[in-house]
């Protein structure tokens, strides 16, 4: 295993999420105390749910305010409006934003309804907004069974930026139950690129369960390759994997 990429294996996802939530809360407070807003890159999917539950708990206990937090989500399904329950905008409202004190104008999620003509300008504006915010202080990631981070499927270049991507058949299959059938799952998304993600100053990748064990091992111990975009994290100065025992079982 590479010793440049720290791995922390916890008894279960609750303990892992609680630990990371305390660390992120401390980071936000430290950055706010230094006189600026904290910039968080956020993920959707099943994996971050217990982490967001912990952030909400810390907020309710008065230990974490989002008043000076700016967020950028990794991705959004192309073709879905924010009102669609499976859109990542709806997900983020439901699972985090509706429960904390984040100003609406501080929330950034790619617009899944952008027209084909406006798409590249929209992606460039997303990149510019990240830069104007001062870059991402902390990026949260899950990992797909294809090894994707964001929706950077196999073949996504190391220096890719926010753009339209085609979802891998495995990724669409994994999303099918939530959409009520494969034919309902969008074929494309807008995703931050590998290059965008790798510029975050601090990164945590979370993975739970047996189904992630093989791809976690490949990402951590396999070659750095665009066939497993999470393997690029091996070259990041401050990226850590937070695993439960099952996701870490092949290490
Ligand atoms: C979500 C995202 C994806 C997911 C990955 C894992 O914003 O960018 O990379 O993190 O597909 O999904 P779950 O957590 O549902 O297994």
């Amino acid at each position: 295993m590479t010793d440049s990429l720290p791995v922390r294996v916890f008894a279960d996802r609750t303990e892992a999420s609680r630990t990371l939530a305390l660390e992120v809360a401390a980071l936000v407070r430290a950055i706010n105390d230094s006189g600026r807003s904290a910039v968080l890159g956020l993920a959707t999917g099943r994996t971050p749910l217990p982490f967001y539950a912990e952030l909400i708990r810390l907020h309710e206990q008065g230990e974490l305010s989002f008043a000076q937090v700016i967020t950028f989500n990794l991705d959004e399904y192309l073709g879905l409006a924010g009102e669609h329950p499976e859109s990542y905008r709806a997900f983020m409202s439901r699972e985090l934003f509706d429960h904390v004190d984040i100003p609406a104008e501080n929330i950034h999620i790619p617009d899944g309804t952008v027209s084909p003509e406006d798409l590249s300008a929209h992606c460039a504006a997303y990149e510019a907004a990240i830069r104007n915010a001062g870059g991402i202080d902390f990026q949260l990631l899950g990992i797909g069974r294809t090894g994707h981070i964001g929706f950077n499927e196999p073949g996504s270049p190391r220096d890719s930026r926010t753009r339209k991507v085609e979802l891998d058949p495995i990724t669409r299959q994994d999303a099918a139950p939530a959409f009520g059938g494969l034919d309902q799952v969008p074929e494309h998304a807008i995703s931050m690129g590998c290059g965008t993600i790798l510029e975050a100053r601090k990164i945590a990748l979370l993975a739970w369960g047996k189904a992630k064990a093989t791809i976690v091992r490949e990402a951590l111990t396999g070659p750095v390759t665009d066939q497993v975009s999470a393997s690029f994290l091996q070259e990041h100065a401050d990226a850590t994997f937070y695993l439960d025992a099952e996701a870490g079982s092949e290490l």
Side-chain angles (χ1 to χ4, degrees), residues 69-198:
V69 170
I70 297 171
T71 64
F72 290 91
N73 264 80
L74 283 166
D75 38 26
E76 178 61 284
Y77 289 113
L78 208 48
L80 296 198
E83 299 75 45
H84 190 292
E86 290 307 316
S87 74
Y88 285 163
R89 181 166 285 276
F91 173 100
M92 289 307 301
S93 301
R94 201 163 57 227
E95 305 299 342
L96 181 64
F97 296 146
D98 285 353
H99 310 280
V100 297
D101 58 341
I102 187 163
E105 64 271 22
N106 287 11
I107 296 169
H108 303 84
I109 304 178
D111 179 1
T113 65
V114 69
S115 68
E117 313 80 78
D118 294 339
L119 197 125
S120 72
H122 180 64
C123 294
Y126 204 71
E127 292 276 337
I130 294 173
R131 274 197 308 278
N132 292 340
I136 292 174
D137 291 301
F138 169 80
Q139 177 67 55
L140 178 72
L141 298 174
I143 183 169
R145 287 194 301 136
T146 59
H148 69 213
I149 50 176
F151 276 140
N152 292 287
E153 301 289 18
S156 296
R158 161 93 183 57
D159 61 356
S160 49
R161 311 303 307 190
T162 302
R163 67 206 188 287
K164 176 180 173 179
V165 293
E166 186 175 344
L167 298 176
D168 189 276
I170 295 175
T171 301
R172 293 188 65 242
Q173 240 172 50
D174 285 347
F179 276 90
L182 187 59
D183 59 331
Q184 301 296 310
V185 183
E187 292 180 357
H188 297 93
I190 299 174
S191 178
M192 280 189 202
C194 295
T196 322
I197 292 169
L198 292 168

Side-chain angles (χ1 to χ4, degrees), residues 28 55 87 181 211:
V28 167
L55 289 185
S87 74

